Amino acid sequence: MKPYLNIAGKAALDAGRIVMRHAGRLHEIRTHDKGRNDPVSNVDLECERAIVEELQHAFPDHAILSEESGGNDAVDSEWQWVIDPLDGTINFIHGFPHCAISIALLHKGAPVVGAIFDPFKNELFMAAQGEGATLNQRKIRVSSRPRLDDSLIGTGIPYRDDQDLDAYLRTFRGIAGEAAGIRRAGAAALDLAYVACARLDGFWEFGLRPWDIAAGMVIVREAGGMVGEPDGDGDCLKSGNILAAGPALFKTMSDQLR
């Protein structure tokens, strides 16, 4: 897995440099809306082009699925790269310095490599199946806190028309009444990376896309955590409904959310 991980990390760093070139000139950024509360900027597209070119050069036989341009359906491969070129676009275009580049590799539909880079903090989270997880090349582990009343939990609030806000708010009330604190920072990839390095004890959200969570799933699992659907059943990569936490807290959160 090392060659795949190295290329993923390099592509994420290269895209991060593009983000930082634009960060001081926010007034020049151009955006258009893909849907309500779902903008795409010229920076997203520039990052995407750079990442896709690098991956295609290194692995021309691999399929690619990216948030902005979709997939290269002509490629029939058991290997697929899943890319979010800028997770947290709304944060970025408002000058809120919390966003990330997220790159994952799937083998036969299962995430096996993940790289998440926060260019503002210069933090690169990486993991490959069976090889552990790192932050800037240092090993990381999930939190071992077993109780919600000691735990800081991340979440994402529904913002699209196809998401059920009322159902989410019921789960929010269940967690908010028990947890030490809840944070909503607006970049699911970083929420998962923060679970992996124990900055957050757990995270849940509904209605996400594969590019939001695929890399983070690998990183959390390789850091010793658990990832699944909030009710404990099904495939979170397909449903987009995700719960991630340390093993001691995962069942507690799952029971509470259910």
Side-chain angles (χ1 to χ4, degrees):
M1 292 293 170
K2 197 69 172 177
Y4 303 132
L5 189 60
N6 289 341
I7 291 295
K10 183 178 183 303
L13 291 171
D14 289 346
R17 283 189 280 271
I18 294 171
V19 170
M20 296 311 294
R21 278 205 308 270
H22 290 277
R25 304 194 303 271
L26 295 180
H27 62 285
E28 298 177 0
I29 293 174
R30 303 181 306 277
T31 65
H32 67 271
D33 291 328
K34 296 180 291 181
R36 190 175 71 87
N37 297 328
D38 193 10
V40 59
S41 74
N42 59 301
V43 182
D44 294 71
L45 298 175
E46 189 177 344
C47 289
E48 184 178 72
R49 283 193 298 271
I51 295 167
V52 169
E53 285 176 7
E54 189 141 14
L55 296 178
Q56 286 181 332
H57 177 75
F59 308 108
D61 297 331
H62 287 192
I64 292 176
L65 173 66
S66 187
E67 178 178 9
E68 308 308 340
S69 62
N72 54 344
D73 297 331
V75 176
D76 181 17
S77 175
E78 63 185 24
W79 299 92
Q80 182 184 47
W81 293 94
V82 179
I83 305 162
D84 191 337
L86 185 56
D87 184 36
T89 298
I90 290 179
N91 285 349
F92 178 69
I93 64 179
H94 284 83
F96 189 90
H98 188 80
C99 60
I101 294 92
S102 179
I103 302 173
L105 176 62
L106 276 56
H107 183 235
K108 297 181 179 179
V112 294
V113 166
I116 296 172
F117 181 53
D118 178 345
F120 286 95
K121 299 182 187 68
N122 195 33
E123 291 186 335
L124 178 61
F125 300 83
M126 299 179 71
Q129 190 175 65
E131 297 181 15
T134 61
L135 165 53
N136 291 348
Q137 300 184 338
R138 302 184 68 172
K139 290 285 187 180
I140 53 176
R141 295 290 295 178
V142 296
S143 164
S144 59
R145 289 189 179 92
R147 302 198 322 268
L148 265 172
D149 60 4
D150 288 333
S151 297
L152 182 64
I153 306 299
T155 190
I157 300 171
Y159 61 91
R160 298 195 312 269
D161 291 334
D162 62 345
Q163 294 173 305
D164 190 338
L165 179 60
D166 290 336
Y168 167 78
L169 289 174
R170 288 194 292 273
T171 66
F172 182 88
R173 283 191 290 269
I175 297 294
E178 301 292 333
I182 294 180
R183 301 291 181 264
R184 198 279 188 186
L190 283 178
D191 287 322
L192 290 167
Y194 283 13
V195 171
C197 70
R199 292 175 185 169
L200 292 173
D201 299 293
F203 167 74
W204 93 100
E205 188 168 350
F206 301 119
L208 292 170
R209 308 301 194 197
W211 46 78
D212 296 316
I213 60 177
M217 289 171 65
V218 185
I219 296 170
V220 170
R221 286 170 176 162
E222 289 299 314
M226 297 177 66
V227 182
E229 288 205 316
D231 63 5
D233 298 319
D235 183 347
C236 60
L237 191 62
K238 292 181 179 178
S239 72
N241 304 326
I242 189 169
L243 167 62
L249 190 63
F250 187 91
K251 185 178 186 306
T252 300
M253 285 191 68
S254 180
D255 290 344
Q256 196 73 19
L257 290 167
R258 189 183 294 113

